[in-house]
């Protein structure tokens, strides 16, 4: 949304702060063609510069992609060999092609309360094709509260409802699934260091 304001001063600030052990990823960065608060060319430029910065400081990325599958796919493909740490396509609501491509590159897909929404069949289809090793659970709080609490402010307290829906949709053992998703989080953000 703020891509028009991205500049070298912000990049330098991130570059400097990236050395701090509490900084575990670059993000939320990406493309949002639903709201188009910044011109698309500026969004693309900012995203490409931020990906280059993530490569430079060797951190994974947290990517926002809304109604921008074609451009996101092209950009991720362009950066595929350089971006060693990959990242997560957070609050995943994109199409099957972007999901498959991101997974094949080693990205995680972040699923949140949307997975419980009646009209979110596309998100459940993406979940169905996502291997357990590529799944993360998130809130996107204060938004996207899962059923049966939709309409209320979201919080981490609702993570179990998201996890329960994922386990049910994938028809997998809850303990195995939760352990794997927890390990995915540790691995992505290098919390085992």
């Amino acid at each position: 949304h703020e891509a028009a304001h991205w500049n070298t001063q912000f990049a330098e600030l991130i570059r400097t702060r990236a050395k701090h052990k509490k900084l575990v990823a670059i993000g939320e960065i990406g493309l949002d063609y639903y709201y188009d608060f910044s011109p698309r060319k500026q969004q693309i430029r900012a995203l490409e510069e931020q990906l280059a910065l993530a490569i430079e400081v060797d951190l994974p990325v947290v990517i926002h992609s809304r109604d921008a599958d074609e451009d996101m796919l092209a950009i991720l493909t362009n950066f595929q060999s350089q971006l060693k740490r990959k990242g997560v396509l957070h609050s995943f609501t994109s199409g099957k092609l972007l999901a498959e491509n991101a997974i094949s590159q080693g990205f995680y897909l972040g699923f949140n309360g949307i997975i419980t929404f009646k009209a979110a069949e596309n998100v459940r289809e993406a979940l169905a094709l996502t291997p357990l090793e590529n799944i993360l659970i998130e809130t996107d709080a204060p938004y996207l509260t899962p059923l049966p609490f939709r309409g209320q402010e979201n919080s981490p307290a609702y993570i179990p409802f998201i996890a329960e829906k994922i386990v049910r949709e994938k028809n997998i053992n809850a303990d195995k699934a939760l352990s794997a998703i927890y390990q995915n989080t540790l691995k992505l953000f290098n919390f085992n260091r």
Side-chain angles (χ1 to χ4, degrees):
H1 297 313
E2 302 296 328
H5 302 293
W6 174 255
N7 60 44
T8 56
Q9 291 170 316
F10 286 124
E12 189 54 38
L13 180 65
I14 293 169
R15 187 176 286 111
T16 302
R17 301 258 169 93
K19 297 171 186 160
H20 194 285
K21 66 179 182 177
K22 288 188 176 182
L23 199 140
V24 297
I26 303 294
E28 175 176 337
I29 61 175
L31 305 174
D32 193 311
Y33 293 175
Y34 180 80
Y35 287 110
D36 271 335
F37 287 150
S38 290
R40 292 180 181 188
K41 285 185 179 182
Q42 288 179 328
Q43 290 185 52
I44 291 169
R45 178 188 58 81
L47 175 59
E48 289 175 339
E49 290 179 14
Q50 292 161 350
L51 287 169
L53 181 59
I55 292 163
E56 177 187 330
V57 298
D58 193 31
L59 286 172
V61 291
V62 178
I63 294 180
H64 173 100
S65 183
R66 189 165 185 194
D67 291 349
D69 287 17
E70 188 176 318
D71 284 343
M72 184 59 71
L73 182 60
I75 291 167
L76 292 182
T77 300
N78 188 42
F79 280 85
Q80 178 176 356
S81 64
Q82 301 166 62
L83 192 61
K84 303 296 183 212
R85 296 280 307 277
K86 305 303 180 197
V88 57
L89 275 71
H90 112 98
S91 191
F92 193 84
T93 57
S94 294
K96 182 178 177 182
L97 185 61
L98 182 57
E100 290 172 336
N101 184 276
I103 291 164
S104 74
Q105 288 188 39
F107 280 90
Y108 296 90
L109 301 186
F111 296 99
N112 54 33
I114 294 173
I115 200 80
T116 69
F117 298 178
K118 288 179 178 72
E121 194 55 41
N122 64 316
V123 178
R124 287 185 288 279
E125 287 172 2
L127 175 66
L129 64 86
T130 306
L132 188 55
E133 301 79 37
N134 295 85
I135 294 175
L136 292 180
I137 296 175
E138 58 179 272
T139 62
D140 205 28
Y143 310 107
L144 306 174
T145 309
L147 293 173
F149 303 100
R150 192 168 179 189
Q152 299 176 32
E153 185 173 291
N154 201 358
S155 81
Y158 297 128
I159 288 283
F161 296 92
I162 300 164
E164 180 182 330
K165 183 67 171 177
I166 289 171
V167 165
R168 209 172 332 115
E169 287 292 320
K170 292 195 74 68
N171 193 26
I172 53 180
N173 175 278
D175 291 336
K176 177 183 174 192
L178 295 177
S179 177
I181 292 168
Y182 178 69
Q183 290 303 315
N184 294 345
T185 304
L186 296 178
K187 182 178 175 185
L188 172 62
F189 298 116
N190 199 23
F191 288 145
N192 292 324
R193 53 185 157 151

